[in-house]
Amino acid sequence: MQVLDKGELRLMDFMGGDMSVIRAARVSNDENPEDASKGREKDKKLINYLMKHQHHTPFEHTVFQFYIQAPLFVVREWHRHRMASYNEVSGRYVNLAPIFYFPDRIRVPADTNKQGSVFRPGNPNVDDQHFSGLVQEASADAFRRYEELISIGAAKELARIVLPLNLYTRFYMTVNARALMNFLSLRSADDAQWEIRQYSLAMQGIFAEKMPMTYEAYEEFGYGNYKGSNQGKA
Ligand SMILES: Cc1cc2nc3c(=O)[nH]c(=O)nc-3n(C[C@H](O)[C@H](O)[C@H](O)COP(=O)(O)OP(=O)(O)OC[C@H]3O[C@@H](n4cnc5c(N)ncnc54)[C@H](O)[C@@H]3O)c2cc1C
């Protein structure tokens, strides 16, 4: 699915689901794997119990592999999530393409959160067109410099240093459902940067589709310090 102006999120692979969580949890009582399900109601109750009491390890038995195209500044935040595996296109090997993120609306500093920003339509001091023009000009100029450096013989790994943070990159992320919930709880929240939040909300939709019982429990009881709420809902 498309995220931002040119970004992408694809679920490439998936292993497990709600039943994997249930099987992993019920092995504690030496249950036969074939009879792990006790019917929808009891299974759901078990998943709720696990989430409520933060018995999170059974959720590690489900794994998602995503393919993502996102701007570098988003990926910088993304890769802080260490409980996942990553592989990314290398600017040392390939000529980078001029695919840049161009936000069409400017955001201004938030009054309440020093890190944050807000959309403020109608503010006469803020001109979306001027903002977009500056970003596009800077990106095109930087890319011209990048090509120039390559043309005079600079190595790709060096030429790339002039490129800006709004350049798109591509990577794989393989993550278990527990670490994914940690990611979603932090990055779908209102205080996350708007751009990474869009990716997080998209992943949240996939999570809800693939693990409906777990997702409901996550919404009701939250993950870790995140206590569940409407935050993060698209
Ligand atoms: C709104 C927001 C603002 C942020 N601002 C900043 C900022 O200003 N500066 C900055 O540097 N970062 C910032 N971050 C990044 C943040 O500090 C985390 O690095 C990031 O959210 C990853 O979270 P995590 O460590 O829980 O995830 P993961 O790395 O995926 O870890 C998952 C869990 O595993 C456990 N774990 C992982 N590694 C260790 C370890 N080494 N030791 C013990 N337990 C471990 C922890 O329980 C952790 O919660 C911000 C994040 C958010 C959401």
Side-chain angles (χ1 to χ4, degrees):
M1 60 183 82
Q2 187 179 332
V3 187
L4 306 183
D5 61 344
K6 304 175 195 86
E8 192 181 336
L9 175 78
R10 276 197 239 175
L11 180 67
M12 302 302 294
D13 222 338
F14 176 73
M15 183 197 79
D18 290 331
M19 267 320 292
S20 293
V21 177
I22 288 157
R23 273 196 296 270
R26 290 211 169 115
V27 76
S28 305
N29 298 326
D30 204 15
E31 304 268 358
N32 180 349
E34 308 305 327
D35 301 329
S37 175
K38 307 271 176 234
R40 201 183 180 281
E41 204 176 311
K42 285 189 176 166
D43 291 351
K44 189 161 173 10
K45 212 168 154 191
L46 172 60
I47 286 186
N48 285 350
Y49 179 87
L50 295 172
M51 197 73 77
K52 184 173 179 187
H53 297 281
Q54 304 197 16
H55 296 314
H56 287 143
T57 52
F59 299 106
E60 294 170 17
H61 295 274
T62 286
V63 179
F64 296 75
Q65 187 192 54
F66 295 105
Y67 172 80
I68 297 131
Q69 174 158 301
L72 287 170
F73 70 92
V74 169
V75 178
R76 179 81 195 257
E77 294 181 351
W78 199 310
H79 287 186
R80 296 299 305 279
H81 293 264
R82 295 155 291 177
M83 294 296 122
S85 304
Y86 300 102
N87 283 97
E88 186 179 2
V89 64
S90 172
R92 300 180 68 197
Y93 296 132
V94 300
N95 281 337
L96 297 168
I99 307 172
F100 294 102
Y101 169 53
F102 295 135
D104 52 6
R105 289 169 67 203
I106 195 169
R107 299 198 303 275
V108 298
D111 295 331
T112 47
N113 176 351
K114 278 188 187 161
Q115 281 189 333
S117 62
V118 288
F119 291 105
R120 212 173 267 173
N123 184 331
N125 300 320
V126 175
D127 178 343
D128 286 341
Q129 267 188 336
H130 186 208
F131 163 74
S132 293
L134 286 178
V135 175
Q136 290 185 25
E137 237 174 74
S139 307
D141 188 47
F143 202 79
R144 265 196 303 277
R145 302 289 180 192
Y146 170 71
E147 287 182 312
E148 195 178 337
L149 288 170
I150 303 257
S151 74
I152 64 167
K156 296 181 187 83
E157 67 177 11
L158 197 55
R160 65 178 172 172
I161 68 173
V162 298
L163 292 171
L165 292 176
N166 63 335
L167 186 77
Y168 276 95
T169 184
R170 291 169 288 287
F171 65 99
Y172 282 90
M173 176 204 208
T174 300
V175 61
N176 69 50
R178 180 186 187 178
L180 180 64
M181 288 190 285
N182 184 57
F183 183 102
L184 300 176
S185 67
L186 293 166
R187 301 300 183 178
S188 294
D190 291 338
D191 62 348
Q193 178 155 353
W194 186 84
E195 283 82 2
I196 197 167
R197 191 162 182 253
Q198 305 316 302
Y199 285 93
S200 188
L201 292 172
M203 284 204 292
Q204 197 163 301
I206 293 172
F207 171 50
E209 193 181 305
K210 289 290 181 187
M211 302 182 77
M213 285 190 208
T214 303
Y215 179 70
E216 274 179 35
Y218 164 79
E219 276 296 324
E220 187 170 354
F221 301 106
Y223 177 81
N225 291 328
Y226 162 83
K227 290 302 171 205
S229 70
N230 286 331
Q231 74 175 352
K233 282 190 175 163

